[in-house]
Amino acid sequence: MAAQNTNPKMKLCKGFKNIHFAPYVNGNFETPTRIYYGKKIENKFKYESSANWGDDIIVDDEFIYNGGDGTLDVLGLSRQEQILLFGNKQAKGGVYVTDTDEAPTGAFLFERRKKGGHKRLYVVYCCKCSPVDVSAETIEDGKGNYETKSIPYTIGSIEKDGINYIYFFVDTDANDVDNNQVTNWYNQVQFPINPTKSGFNQVEANTKQ
């Protein structure tokens, strides 16, 4: 099984930075693009219970993934970021929005800081953003806050080599972490190395029997 860290406090995480988005085009993820000044991200995954009855008892009970919803809060959006996330169109000096624009499906990548200075790197694979509203408010007594854009999105799953992935994370302080994967986290969307449907831990446990 995966090695247990001798210090349980090393599982503690805080913070949120380095948000990237990588569109999924023609069966492949494009190079992730940085989205600046991320404030908060939430990913909520929905599962439905499926119970099979026989002889007046539950013979098998499982939870089936039924999609998810997320929200990304950022300080403003640049023209390039709005085009990237919502599929809007570029014009000279600006962006225009039409009723036929379609947001691309893609992956969100980001990181959290772990106790001790290491990182937990995340990728959420199959996200599709909903366009945001346009709003503004006056500056009073010379005081005003820069706008925060709250971007809702849906979360699906993506199939690769017979496995449907929702999200994946790696800890940079893990004994068995692949350093090449860490180095390229924001250069190319990463997938688990040597995965199986039963999980790496199960495979290793079976090997030791």
Side-chain angles (χ1 to χ4, degrees):
M1 296 177 68
Q4 176 70 36
N5 196 308
T6 55
N7 183 359
K9 291 184 179 180
M10 297 305 291
K11 71 178 182 178
L12 302 180
C13 293
K14 63 181 178 179
F16 164 60
K17 63 185 296 187
N18 278 341
I19 184 73
H20 286 64
F21 185 75
Y24 188 70
V25 180
N26 297 325
N28 294 288
F29 284 103
E30 296 184 346
T31 302
T33 297
R34 176 82 181 269
I35 299 171
Y36 287 91
Y37 309 136
K39 291 179 65 67
K40 182 181 179 181
I41 193 168
E42 291 186 344
N43 297 282
K44 297 180 179 180
F45 308 106
K46 296 179 288 187
Y47 289 83
E48 290 186 354
S49 176
S50 176
N52 294 290
W53 288 75
D55 291 333
D56 294 335
I57 62 172
I58 296 178
V59 178
D60 181 67
D61 192 11
E62 62 181 349
F63 285 90
I64 300 173
Y65 183 60
N66 191 35
D69 296 293
T71 305
L72 170 65
D73 292 349
V74 296
L75 280 178
L77 284 171
S78 69
R79 290 180 295 157
Q80 293 80 6
E81 290 168 345
Q82 180 146 339
I83 292 168
L84 173 71
L85 295 176
F86 307 129
N88 301 142
K89 306 298 189 297
Q90 183 174 350
K92 282 192 174 183
V95 173
Y96 66 93
V97 179
T98 73
D99 61 2
T100 59
D101 292 347
E102 183 174 355
T105 297
F108 277 119
L109 303 90
F110 60 94
E111 66 187 63
R112 306 197 70 201
R113 187 171 67 188
K114 297 189 65 182
K115 188 174 180 63
H118 282 274
K119 302 174 183 178
R120 176 165 288 182
L121 304 172
Y122 282 90
V123 53
V124 184
Y125 287 109
C126 192
C127 304
K128 190 166 188 173
C129 296
S130 174
V132 293
D133 296 330
V134 176
S135 59
E137 61 180 296
T138 187
I139 295 175
E140 298 181 1
D141 296 326
K143 298 178 182 179
N145 296 320
Y146 290 110
E147 68 173 350
T148 296
K149 291 291 189 181
S150 186
I151 305 167
Y153 56 91
T154 58
I155 307 169
S157 61
I158 195 163
E159 189 274 335
K160 181 177 172 61
D161 300 327
I163 300 176
N164 295 323
Y165 293 101
I166 302 170
Y167 73 94
F168 169 48
F169 73 81
V170 298
D171 292 327
T172 61
D173 60 344
N175 295 331
D176 56 349
V177 69
D178 186 280
N179 290 324
N180 185 61
Q181 193 168 59
V182 172
T183 300
N184 289 294
W185 194 261
Y186 296 112
N187 297 326
Q188 183 178 5
V189 173
Q190 302 293 315
F191 284 87
I193 297 176
N194 297 329
T196 68
K197 292 182 179 179
S198 57
F200 177 77
N201 287 354
Q202 184 65 42
V203 172
E204 190 171 1
N206 289 341
T207 302
K208 292 180 178 179
Q209 289 181 353

